[in-house]
Amino acid sequence: MHTLRASKYGLSIKQLPPSILEVIDALTKAGYQAYIVGGGVRDLMLGLHPKDFDAVTNATPAQVKEVFGRRCRIIGRRFELAHVYVGRDLIEVATFRAPPKKAVTSALGMILRDNNWGTIEQDFARRDFSINAMYYQPRQGVILDFCNAIDDVKSKTLRLLGEPKLRFEEDPVRMLRTLRFAAKLNFSIAPEILDVFTPEMTQLLRDISPHRLYDESQKLFTMGHLQRVLPLLIEFGLWKQLFAEVSPDVTAFVALAAKNTDQRIQVGKTINPAFFYAVLLWRNFQERTEFYLAKGVVAAEARAQAGLDVLKRQSTRTIIPRFAETFIREVWEMQTRLLSPKPQQIESLAGHARFRAGFDFLLLREKSGDDTTQGMGQWWEAYQDMTIDQKEVAISQYNRQRAKTRRKPRTEDVEVDTVIAPLVAEAAPTRSRRSRNKSAQAPVRSTANTAVSNADGVDANHPILKRKRVQRDLSQVIFGPTQ
Ligand code: ATP
Ligand code: MG
């Protein structure tokens, strides 16, 4: 074990938020050992800005609770931890862990329960990468390095502690972490890891709960290096495990959205990881919508059902929380709204809660060469910067343009034009009673479609009519009137 002088590596107490110091100090005062460990130390060593600081101690979670009282909550079952609240910060305090006992390991070698307390030496050996296993005692100004992690910091190498094959088998999520850190830190992956990073090994991710994989996917999307990690995920075959249905070619749209996400993070803007999910699954959503349309399902219902289907299939890999699913479907639905808005709805659409995300999405599509947006991305972009008078002019121009296209004599489409133009009228559950009565005979989408056989434009045998849930869930996809 080497004791490094923190100041020699550019670390100082001044870089630390008061909250982590308070936790370290309180534990020390109570007679326990306490260190900062993990990503915080690693990032400081690399001159990066850590996103948070985790603490580790020889106090058990119950003892940590004794020290911090009501400011502490013990969480987790498989991996028990103390959460300590200091002001607005939350500090995660872990207890030194010893190797897990045999009885809590699955048949495949995966650790199921992991609350066997131990010494700092045992704790270090349990961590994933050497660079994540440095222990920093800020008051003493020292870093404990048990494995020459400092050499890996210097040579920018990602090295797993212990035998890589075993470490991946114990916790297959470490494969994802490998690619995440390689991309985030711009490190190379040690050859002995590459040796075991086989397609068979990546299959082990199937045993990981879709909840945990969603959390990991979020970290991948929000670390600021999506552009770098996407090709790695594909190359190493982890893509298939995370997004079974998404084609592993990075489309121009996905590439641009990744670039845009990274840039937003770089300038400190917030990002919603669900937005990138919406991007990734967009093509699947469109294909699925086409599938329903071809069966003669009314457009709004086709989109709603397609959205449900695509998200349901994705949930076998990563379980997207309900609110994020709703967000994704709203962004998709917004695409239709923004593409051909009713002139009188333009202003309220621009003030809609989902406008910003929907518009960003539309513009990214357009900028990546998707001409089905018909230039509406640019139109909305310009619209937002206009004065009230300019907006009026723009809307009437848009209106004229719209009327012109609609008046074009497209013989077989005439009926379609008059019927589908108002998007809101497609939104059955949110229509006013009056418009619902008025359009009771209306929402037939395509006259060319022979499958259409009843007044709603859907084949009476179509499964969509047999699934009550669809109707209920539609209310989440289609917006009510804008406030
Ligand atoms: P960041 O927070 O920047 O994403 P991190 O290294 O802090 O990176 P966390 O997930 O916050 O990552 O974990 C904190 C520390 O806990 C890690 O640095 C590592 O030492 C240990 N750790 C986390 N996950 C694992 C794992 N799956 N296997 C072994 N050790 C882990
Ligand atoms: Mg961390």
Side-chain angles (χ1 to χ4, degrees):
M1 196 269 287
H2 298 279
T3 305
L4 313 175
R5 210 154 22 86
S7 59
K8 192 176 160 204
Y9 297 93
L11 273 66
S12 96
I13 263 182
K14 290 197 216 95
Q15 297 162 316
L16 302 174
S19 49
I20 182 73
L21 281 173
E22 193 177 322
V23 169
I24 299 286
D25 288 345
L27 287 166
T28 314
K29 198 162 153 235
Y32 299 110
Q33 298 169 36
Y35 297 89
I36 304 174
V37 71
V41 187
R42 175 198 70 215
D43 290 353
L44 285 179
M45 293 284 251
L46 290 165
L48 302 172
H49 191 73
K51 75 175 191 303
D52 52 26
F53 291 94
D54 299 318
V56 68
T57 176
N58 61 345
T60 63
Q63 288 167 331
V64 176
K65 178 133 185 84
E66 267 174 37
V67 175
F68 294 97
R70 289 175 56 193
R71 294 198 292 160
C72 171
R73 277 181 52 193
I74 297 175
I75 62 137
R77 265 163 55 84
R78 187 182 81 91
F79 206 85
E80 207 176 85
L81 284 175
H83 274 177
V84 177
Y85 296 86
V86 188
R88 303 174 88 209
D89 291 351
L90 165 71
I91 305 289
E92 219 171 76
V93 183
T95 303
F96 294 148
R97 277 182 164 75
K101 292 181 180 147
K102 199 86 202 131
V104 292
T105 309
S106 80
L108 294 166
M110 224 161 78
I111 300 170
L112 301 175
R113 202 173 271 254
D114 196 1
N115 292 317
N116 199 24
W117 315 131
T119 62
I120 190 168
E121 287 83 2
Q122 288 172 315
D123 187 84
F124 128 78
R126 299 284 326 278
R127 295 192 173 263
D128 48 5
F129 301 97
S130 60
I131 54 163
N132 283 348
M134 294 181 281
Y135 297 73
Y136 175 30
Q137 216 314 329
R139 293 295 180 195
Q140 293 168 14
V142 296
I143 298 160
L144 308 187
D145 179 2
F146 295 89
C147 55
N148 280 326
I150 191 66
D151 289 347
D152 293 332
V153 170
K154 286 179 185 157
S155 66
K156 289 176 152 277
T157 308
L158 211 51
R159 190 180 309 285
L160 273 167
L161 297 171
E163 210 204 301
K165 180 170 177 289
L166 214 68
R167 303 309 310 276
F168 278 173
E169 282 167 359
E170 257 176 16
D171 183 3
V173 167
R174 288 174 188 148
M175 286 181 268
L176 282 165
R177 290 174 66 86
T178 303
L179 301 190
R180 175 153 66 89
F181 293 129
K184 174 177 162 159
L185 309 171
N186 207 7
F187 269 37
S188 55
I189 302 171
E192 67 271 17
I193 299 182
L194 295 175
D195 287 346
V196 301
F197 217 136
T198 58
E200 296 77 53
M201 191 61 95
T202 64
Q203 295 288 319
L204 295 183
L205 276 167
R206 298 202 166 214
D207 300 326
I208 302 298
S209 91
H211 290 279
R212 190 165 174 219
L213 288 185
Y214 176 75
D215 289 346
E216 287 303 320
S217 72
Q218 284 214 312
K219 291 181 187 172
L220 290 167
F221 295 174
T222 58
M223 73 170 155
H225 296 286
L226 245 178
Q227 279 178 288
R228 221 148 51 196
V229 88
L230 288 185
L232 289 178
L233 289 170
I234 294 166
E235 182 193 336
F236 283 84
L238 297 192
W239 187 265
K240 295 201 280 288
Q241 303 301 332
L242 287 177
F243 317 106
E245 307 283 334
V246 181
S247 134
D249 54 335
V250 178
T251 60
F253 179 39
V254 170
L256 191 66
K259 185 172 169 199
N260 186 56
T261 305
D262 290 349
Q263 280 170 348
R264 284 182 68 94
I265 292 167
Q266 211 167 35
V267 297
K269 287 193 193 164
T270 56
I271 64 140
N272 182 344
F275 185 89
F276 197 68
Y277 262 108
V279 171
L280 281 182
L281 298 171
W282 171 241
R283 193 147 89 178
N284 299 41
F285 167 72
Q286 284 180 303
E287 283 166 8
R288 195 70 184 156
T289 304
E290 284 306 319
F291 165 83
Y292 280 118
L293 289 176
K295 285 190 177 297
V297 178
V298 180
E301 289 183 5
R303 292 197 302 274
Q305 185 60 46
L308 290 173
D309 288 359
V310 168
L311 290 170
K312 188 159 184 216
R313 276 198 241 165
Q314 178 57 31
S315 72
T316 61
R317 297 307 161 107
T318 62
I319 295 211
I320 304 172
R322 196 58 172 208
F323 71 90
E325 282 197 347
T326 305
F327 172 89
I328 293 169
R329 288 153 69 197
E330 285 177 348
V331 167
W332 289 341
E333 183 61 22
M334 255 294 177
Q335 301 310 294
T336 311
R337 298 268 175 133
L338 295 177
L339 193 63
S340 51
K342 270 182 165 177
Q344 64 270 30
Q345 289 173 341
I346 287 178
E347 190 50 26
S348 54
L349 259 181
H352 194 284
R354 212 45 86 220
F355 173 78
R356 191 73 229 174
F359 161 70
D360 284 347
F361 195 93
L362 185 74
L363 199 60
L364 284 171
R365 283 173 56 204
E366 196 163 294
K367 285 187 172 164
S368 62
D370 178 351
D371 53 16
T372 63
T373 65
Q374 297 168 27
M376 284 307 282
Q378 261 185 18
W379 191 88
W380 282 104
E381 189 174 37
Y383 179 82
Q384 292 168 74
D385 291 334
M386 290 177 185
T387 62
I388 296 180
D389 291 347
Q390 288 170 328
K391 282 182 178 175
E392 258 176 38
V393 175
I395 291 175
S396 56
Q397 266 171 6
Y398 165 79
N399 207 3
R400 272 199 301 278
Q401 189 64 35
R402 195 165 177 257
K404 224 188 283 170
T405 15
R406 284 168 88 197
R407 244 183 272 119
K408 274 196 191 147
R410 288 183 300 176
T411 40
E412 76 209 289
D413 276 4
V414 170
E415 198 182 342
V416 176
D417 268 345
T418 52
V419 174
I420 63 154
L423 277 159
V424 167
E426 284 183 286
T430 57
R431 266 182 283 156
S432 70
R433 203 160 293 197
R434 201 156 50 92
S435 67
R436 205 177 306 165
N437 292 339
K438 212 168 56 185
S439 58
Q441 74 281 43
V444 179
R445 186 187 177 268
S446 167
T447 49
N449 200 316
T450 48
V452 171
S453 59
N454 69 6
D456 286 336
V458 186
D459 183 339
N461 285 326
H462 193 274
I464 207 158
L465 293 176
K466 296 180 182 143
R467 290 181 59 177
K468 283 241 157 50
R469 203 178 133 244
V470 175
Q471 280 303 327
R472 228 182 7 252
D473 282 356
L474 266 172
S475 62
Q476 293 184 15
V477 180
I478 292 148
F479 316 103
T482 311
Q483 305 303 319

